Amino acid sequence: MLVFRGFTRKAPSATVLTIGNFDGVHLGHRALLAQLRATAAREGLLPAALTFEPHPREFFGHESAPARLSTLREKLEMLAEEGAALAYVCHFNARFAALSAEEFIERILVGSARVKHLIVGDDFRFGVGRRGNIALLREAGKHYGFQVEAIDGVTVEGERASSSAVRNALAEGRLDYAARLLGRPYSIDGRVVHGDKMGRQLGFATANIRIKHDKPPLLGVFVAEVLGLSKQALRGVANLGFRPSAARVDRPLLEVHLFDFSTEIYGQHINVRFLHQLRNEIRFPNLDALKSQIADDVDQAKAYFRRLDAPTHP
């Protein structure tokens, strides 16, 4: 997939374009991208996506910004997997925020993205003051020669699939429901880095993964799977948080203990899937109590996988 940062480069050919934050790439986003693929194939257009970095709410108010579901790298990888051949990454700053809806259409959609077919969600708004809407896009389409298609939202158990709904489910430990909103288990990518080796001292060596954002959408201890180290997912227990019983860290740290695994994997990029929450992070009075709890976490996680592997009978 081609990735253009900013809008100084024109798309190599006419595009079918979709626009969004795409944080998490949930089922609502996937519906847009499925329509993108179908339209590109039918009309012979380049399938393209336009997304924003940072999230607009991070720009307007860092402290009140939502937890990130995905890094830019994760988002671009998922957009590529869903069929986008070109991604425009818009640097959301004061200059961009000041663009009128008309300027956004003329300079970005028509001038850079060479749009011939635009696919957006039914609630899409844009431009300074969020004045731009579907009606304005359709009027502009008549003038500039592009079609506009608005896609209805996707609902799961009566709730619209949205990044906010996913964040709420993760924060409340409802990982099964979050997976239904996403269409897959929630996961975090990262590179394995050196830690203080405390897990190894306790008898439960961990892979430490660098977290890029200060506000992950979930914290605690989880049953997990790891992709990227072998053909099949590896199983284990993940702790995401601030290590209250050890040398506390200022930024969240993701530590994963893999069952029956001892290979050195420093520097490798892996994907950690969160399947089930075992407990919240708590502070233990001493390392012996912490070691006992980790052993219990491992036992619970292995029991979870045994239930998962058990044959089902009609």
Side-chain angles (χ1 to χ4, degrees):
M1 180 176 72
L2 288 172
V3 177
F4 292 167
R5 292 178 179 267
F7 303 100
T8 58
R9 300 173 66 183
K10 285 191 175 185
S13 62
T15 67
V16 51
L17 177 73
T18 188
I19 305 172
N21 288 314
F22 296 110
D23 192 22
V25 190
H26 53 66
L27 289 184
H29 297 141
R30 290 183 174 209
L32 289 172
L33 294 162
Q35 191 66 15
L36 186 81
R37 292 194 304 271
T39 303
R42 183 179 68 247
E43 300 182 11
L45 297 170
L46 181 70
L50 188 158
T51 191
F52 307 99
E53 183 67 24
H55 191 291
R57 286 173 61 187
E58 291 181 18
F59 169 75
F60 285 113
H62 180 72
E63 292 303 320
S64 61
R68 279 284 193 103
L69 295 175
S70 51
T71 63
L72 178 60
R73 172 177 175 155
E74 290 167 337
K75 180 164 57 174
L76 292 175
E77 287 174 346
M78 288 186 281
L79 289 174
E81 289 170 3
E82 294 293 326
L86 168 65
Y88 275 101
V89 179
C90 168
H91 180 51
F92 201 97
N93 55 19
R95 183 178 177 183
F96 179 81
L99 280 180
S100 70
E102 290 80 7
E103 288 174 317
F104 179 82
I105 293 169
E106 181 178 357
R107 292 170 52 184
I108 294 175
L109 300 189
V110 178
S112 295
R114 301 174 63 184
V115 65
K116 289 298 179 184
H117 194 125
L118 180 64
I119 301 171
V120 292
D122 57 3
D123 59 349
F124 179 64
R125 303 296 292 264
F126 64 101
V128 66
R130 292 173 57 83
R131 194 178 67 80
N133 55 22
I134 304 297
L136 181 64
L137 285 169
R138 286 185 169 140
E139 283 300 313
K142 294 175 186 177
H143 177 72
Y144 290 108
F146 62 85
Q147 293 180 278
V148 178
E149 188 173 357
I151 302 296
D152 292 336
V154 174
T155 59
V156 175
E157 299 180 17
E159 180 177 23
R160 185 184 180 109
S162 68
S163 299
S164 295
V166 176
R167 291 186 197 103
N168 291 339
L170 292 173
E172 295 167 1
R174 297 182 293 143
L175 272 64
D176 287 346
Y177 182 55
R180 289 195 290 276
L181 291 166
L182 290 166
R184 68 188 187 285
Y186 178 69
S187 65
I188 291 177
D189 283 1
R191 194 168 302 282
V192 180
V193 298
H194 286 276
D196 60 9
K197 309 295 189 296
M198 175 169 284
R200 185 171 299 177
Q201 295 171 27
L202 296 172
F204 299 95
T206 60
N208 302 307
I209 296 91
R210 193 188 308 277
I211 300 296
K212 293 189 176 180
H213 294 296
D214 293 338
K215 293 167 61 175
L218 73 176
L219 295 169
V221 180
F222 304 88
V223 180
E225 288 182 330
V226 170
L227 287 73
L229 297 175
S230 66
K231 292 181 179 179
Q232 293 185 334
L234 301 179
R235 294 172 167 181
V237 174
N239 186 103
L240 177 55
F242 296 91
R243 307 177 71 202
S245 298
R248 184 179 173 84
V249 291
D250 294 328
R251 297 188 60 188
L253 177 68
L254 175 55
E255 302 171 281
V256 185
H257 169 69
L258 295 171
F259 305 148
D260 305 315
F261 186 84
S262 59
T263 305
E264 295 288 351
I265 55 174
Y266 295 116
Q268 296 205 41
H269 194 272
I270 64 175
N271 176 267
V272 182
R273 286 181 174 175
F274 298 85
L275 305 183
H276 174 72
Q277 183 163 12
L278 294 171
R279 60 179 176 86
N280 295 326
E281 270 200 316
I282 56 176
R283 182 178 180 84
F284 293 92
N286 52 58
L287 292 183
D288 286 339
L290 172 61
K291 181 176 180 179
S292 177
Q293 180 61 63
I294 294 174
D296 185 60
D297 295 337
V298 169
D299 288 342
Q300 289 188 59
K302 289 181 176 179
Y304 175 92
F305 285 118
R306 284 195 297 271
R307 292 192 297 271
L308 194 66
D309 293 338
T312 57
H313 301 287

